[in-house]
Amino acid sequence: MARRTITVHHVRAVLRGAERRGVDTVPLLRGAEIPPLLLGDDRARVTAPQFARLFRELYRATQDEFLGLGSAVSRPGTFAMMCQASLGCRDLGAAVERGVTFYGLFPGGPDLVLERHGDEAVFGVRNDLEQDYFLAECLVIIWHRLCSWLIGRRIPLRWAEFGHPPPPHKDEYELLFGCAVRFGAERTGAGFDPHWLDAPLIRDEEALDEMLRGAPFELLTRREYGTTVAEQVRRALARALRSSPRLPSLGEIAARLAVSPATLRRRLAQESTSYQQLKDAVRRDAAIAGLVEGREPIAGLAARLGFSEDTAFHRAFRRWTGTTPGAYRTETELTERPCGPSPYGSSSSPAAASDGGTSDGASGTAPGG
């Protein structure tokens, strides 16, 4: 099943730190097999492996776990040492408090906070991180996924809020965080049930070493919350596309979910999407992955995705991404795949970063949609 693709808005955002340092980002994009021309179209998207390779390229260029997005450098190995320091705590609450204290030792580092208000706990970022909200969002995502990983269970978020106005890709945030979202808040953070803070940690050092080999992208790319109707429909469509170009109808999906077609339409509308939008998203992500990761002829790819004519596929792909399938593949083939260290792997010998996440008890999603 093709993983979700990632909006070009996040590609631009993750490049900002290197750009502020005067780094030429075109070679980094080509090293990640991301055509630089894609950055000029708001509709463009990249695959999770492309985005993971861009993380590695930026890490090598900046030697900074925050990729130049923060007000101070976070030296390689900092995240790994924080995890080591938190691993022996009695419960999750103590581990988070230790992590917050750990990062508080570094001048210019993120001002993280864990608060408890009656029947709610809140994890947030107090400072504006040089007004770079992308880094603040990533920190909240990584901490949420890390906490879920530490206790072996996904922690449901009640809400997420962001200290900036709604961005052009605002509709992707509910899928990204798996909860209701709001913008224009005093800070960036997320709320959850405080009973999770009493949960015991179940991971040991061996499991931590394995997790760190894929960090941070392993934490950023876990996405399948499965708590929304849209996610259930999307997974059903993606599974169906693996075996047949004919996607099931709305009525067939409704029957699988034991609801009426009218109820399914209403619930999808409540989640700000539709059956047609989900079908387009599944085909779009499979098309991009097929062009980037395989050498299947474009005509064969179009047929596999359920398009009766090549021209229909070309029109749809241009509508989805702003370019043609042939141009996208040609630009991607001009790049060269690198290999490199994981930003957060270890202070001495970082391992290669993962090209994408796998679902487990801590599954969630990456910046992307």
Side-chain angles (χ1 to χ4, degrees), residues 6-15 29 34 39 46 51 54:
I6 295 166
T7 172
V8 72
H9 293 283
H10 288 307
V11 177
R12 294 171 185 156
V14 79
L15 290 171
L29 288 164
I34 297 175
L39 271 65
V46 300
F51 201 61
L54 182 58

Side-chain angles (χ1 to χ4, degrees), residues 120-135:
E120 189 164 71
V122 179
F123 178 82
V125 183
R126 277 193 290 227
N127 55 358
D128 62 7
L129 299 168
E130 283 195 10
Q131 298 182 348
D132 200 314
Y133 60 80
F134 178 75
L135 178 56

Side-chain angles (χ1 to χ4, degrees), residues 157-176:
L157 295 179
R158 293 179 174 177
W159 51 263
E161 62 182 14
F162 310 98
H164 56 83
H169 55 295
K170 62 182 183 301
D171 293 340
E172 303 198 8
Y173 277 69
E174 288 194 8
L175 288 175
L176 179 60

Side-chain angles (χ1 to χ4, degrees), residues 44-362:
R45 308 183 75 85
V46 300
T47 65
Q50 287 175 303
F51 201 61
R53 290 193 288 270
L54 182 58
F55 258 77
R56 290 201 297 269
E57 291 290 316
L58 286 165
Y59 172 68
R60 281 206 297 269
T62 63
Q63 286 298 294
D64 179 3
E65 290 187 346
F66 294 157
L67 308 182
L69 295 170
S71 57
V73 171
S74 182
R75 297 179 61 184
T78 302
F79 180 77
M81 289 303 298
M82 183 278 296
C83 290
Q84 290 283 356
S86 302
L87 196 62
C89 292
R90 66 184 183 277
D91 56 32
L92 182 62
V96 175
E97 291 285 6
R98 184 169 292 182
V100 169
T101 301
F102 180 91
Y103 273 105
L105 298 173
F106 299 94
D111 188 5
L112 307 174
V113 60
L114 175 66
E115 299 174 345
R116 308 184 197 214
H117 305 290
D119 65 346
E120 189 164 71
V122 179
F123 178 82
V125 183
R126 277 193 290 227
N127 55 358
D128 62 7
L129 299 168
E130 283 195 10
Q131 298 182 348
D132 200 314
Y133 60 80
F134 178 75
L135 178 56
E137 291 173 2
C138 285
L139 287 172
V140 173
I141 291 171
I142 288 173
W143 276 79
H144 174 228
R145 312 287 162 74
L146 176 63
C147 289
S148 297
W149 177 84
L150 284 169
I151 65 173
R153 297 181 64 188
R154 184 187 64 82
I155 300 173
L157 295 179
R158 293 179 174 177
W159 51 263
E161 62 182 14
F162 310 98
H164 56 83
H169 55 295
K170 62 182 183 301
D171 293 340
E172 303 198 8
Y173 277 69
E174 288 194 8
L175 288 175
L176 179 60
F177 286 85
C179 62
V181 301
R182 55 180 178 260
F183 298 92
E186 293 184 359
R187 66 183 177 195
T188 295
F192 56 96
D193 193 309
H195 84 269
W196 294 106
L197 298 175
D198 298 325
L201 308 189
I202 66 167
R203 307 296 185 178
D204 57 19
E205 290 196 8
E206 182 178 355
L208 177 61
D209 288 342
E210 181 179 354
M211 184 274 289
L212 289 172
R213 281 195 288 272
F217 206 73
E218 170 68 11
L219 295 172
L220 284 170
T221 54
R222 292 171 176 170
R223 96 170 31 244
E224 297 299 336
Y225 281 93
T227 56
T228 66
V229 174
E231 282 295 334
Q232 296 177 60
V233 172
R234 191 187 190 284
R235 283 203 304 275
L237 290 170
R239 283 195 298 266
L241 192 60
R242 284 188 296 176
S243 57
S244 171
R246 190 195 78 82
L247 290 178
S249 67
L250 182 141
E252 291 170 326
I253 293 292
R256 294 183 192 182
L257 299 179
V259 298
S260 70
T263 297
L264 180 56
R265 288 193 191 92
R266 185 174 65 254
R267 290 185 179 178
L268 290 176
Q270 290 171 346
E271 295 174 13
S272 301
T273 189
S274 70
Y275 185 70
Q276 186 61 50
Q277 287 176 306
L278 293 171
K279 284 206 305 183
D280 285 345
V282 167
R283 284 197 170 112
R284 176 202 67 202
D285 292 350
I288 292 174
L291 292 169
V292 171
E293 299 165 8
R295 293 296 174 261
E296 184 179 9
I298 291 176
L301 177 61
R304 181 167 61 80
L305 297 180
F307 290 91
S308 58
E309 299 178 355
D310 291 356
T311 54
F313 176 55
H314 279 249
R315 285 196 302 270
F317 194 83
R318 182 180 285 277
R319 186 176 72 252
W320 295 333
T321 67
T323 189
T324 65
Y328 191 97
R329 172 169 279 175
T330 298
E331 284 291 328
T332 302
E333 287 175 344
L334 292 175
T335 60
E336 180 179 350
R337 179 174 300 186
C339 59
S342 162
Y344 295 167
S346 70
S347 57
S348 56
S349 180
S354 166
D355 270 357
T358 56
S359 295
D360 65 8

